[in-house]
Amino acid sequence: MPASAASETRSRAAPALRPRDAATLILVDRAKKKPRVLMGRRHAGLAFMGGKFVFPGGRVEPSDRRMIVAGALPQRSEDALDARLVRASPMLGRSLALAAIRETYEETGLMVGSRDYGPPERAPEGAWQAFAEEGVFPDLEALHLLARAITPPGRPRRFDTRFFVADRTAVAAERPGIVGPDAELTEIAWVGLDEARKLDLPRITRLVLDDLEAAAALDFKPFRAIPFYFERYGKGLRELL
C-alpha cells in the first residue's frame, strides 16, 4: 500500500477509546471458616457482559465527587490508586470508592457505611438520597483496594476499573426490591470462592477471584501486593502496584 494510502487509512480509523474510571466492590462474608463473596448475574439483554456473574460496580458519576463521607481510604490503597498515573487527582481515590459504594447500592440494595454519625447533612440527587434517608454515611475506611484492570484496546467499551474489597459487616442498611428479572442484576448470591469459579464469569472476574483468595490467605493485610492488569502490544500483562 502506498504511503499516502496508508496515511489516509489511519486518519479514517476510529480513535482508540479512552478507558473510563470505574470501580467495583467485592463484599466478603468471613463469618465462617471459608469466605463467601457477593455476586450477581447481569441481565441477559445488557450489551456489556450480559448474563455473566460479576461483582457490583460501574463507572464514576459526577455525584460521587460531591457526596460527603465518613473516614478515608487506607493510605496503602491511596498510594496504589495514584501509582502509574501521570497526574493523579487528589479526589480520585475518594471518587472511585464512592462509585463502588453507590453502584453496589444501585445494583443490590446494600448500603456500605455507618449509622454512627446520623444522616448525611446533604446528598446529591439520585442514589445518594437513599443514604440520607436511611441515615447511612458512606464509610471509606471499610474499603481496601484489591486490584486494578484496564479493558484491552479494541473493545466497544473500555474501563479502568479498581476493585475494592469490604467485609459484609460494613453493610449498614438494605433496601429490598432492587434485584429482579427486569433489573440490571437479575439475581444475587453469597457463594464460596470455589463455587464462584464454576459460574459464567468474565475473564477478569476469574483472575480477581484468585487475587481475593490470595489476600484472604494473608488475612487481608493492608501492605500486600496489589495486581494491575492491562494489555500492551497485544499481550496481557500483570504487574504489581
Side-chain angles (χ1 to χ4, degrees):
M1 180 184 295
S4 58
S7 176
E8 182 178 351
T9 299
R10 284 194 298 271
S11 67
R12 291 177 179 175
L17 286 177
R18 181 177 180 181
R20 302 190 67 171
D21 284 325
T24 289
L25 183 54
I26 306 169
L27 288 172
V28 182
D29 184 349
R30 294 190 284 170
K32 297 182 179 180
K33 185 176 181 180
K34 292 187 177 181
R36 298 185 301 160
V37 296
L38 182 68
M39 303 204 73
R41 186 198 292 271
R42 286 176 60 79
H43 194 287
L46 294 173
F48 185 68
M49 295 186 180
K52 299 284 188 180
F53 276 89
V54 297
F55 306 117
R59 66 191 184 192
V60 175
E61 299 289 353
S63 64
D64 302 327
R65 300 182 178 92
R66 303 195 305 272
M67 183 60 187
I68 56 178
V69 300
L73 282 171
Q75 190 60 49
R76 172 70 179 105
S77 295
E78 287 279 12
D79 292 342
L81 287 165
D82 289 344
R84 311 295 177 84
L85 297 178
V86 177
R87 286 189 296 273
S89 165
M91 298 289 286
L92 177 65
R94 181 180 183 280
S95 298
L96 287 164
L98 281 167
I101 292 173
R102 175 187 49 76
E103 287 282 347
T104 297
Y105 164 68
E106 289 181 341
E107 295 178 9
T108 70
L110 301 177
M111 297 183 187
V112 172
S114 173
R115 292 184 184 271
D116 294 344
Y117 310 101
E121 298 172 1
R122 63 185 186 279
E125 292 297 322
W128 290 120
Q129 285 290 321
F131 282 72
E133 293 165 5
E134 295 289 343
V136 176
F137 253 99
D139 185 2
L140 304 193
E141 289 184 6
L143 275 61
H144 294 266
L145 184 66
L146 178 72
R148 177 186 175 190
I150 298 179
T151 309
R155 305 293 173 85
R157 297 184 184 182
R158 298 189 69 206
F159 298 99
D160 187 345
T161 304
R162 284 71 162 194
F163 292 81
F164 293 93
V165 62
D167 196 87
R168 184 176 185 171
T169 57
V171 176
E174 178 178 1
R175 284 195 170 181
I178 290 181
V179 177
D182 298 321
E184 184 171 347
L185 295 184
T186 58
E187 61 178 297
I188 58 174
W190 292 93
V191 296
L193 301 187
D194 290 338
E195 184 181 356
R197 291 186 177 98
K198 297 175 184 177
L199 300 173
D200 185 8
L201 305 174
R203 178 176 177 273
I204 187 58
T205 304
R206 195 173 299 277
L207 293 173
V208 172
L209 275 172
D210 293 341
D211 297 324
L212 180 68
E213 186 169 43
L218 296 173
D219 197 28
F220 295 96
K221 291 188 176 4
F223 291 97
R224 62 188 181 275
I226 295 175
F228 174 27
Y229 298 94
F230 60 99
E231 185 176 293
R232 182 179 293 158
Y233 304 121
K235 181 179 179 180
L237 300 174
R238 179 184 187 272
E239 296 184 356
L240 298 178
L241 300 175

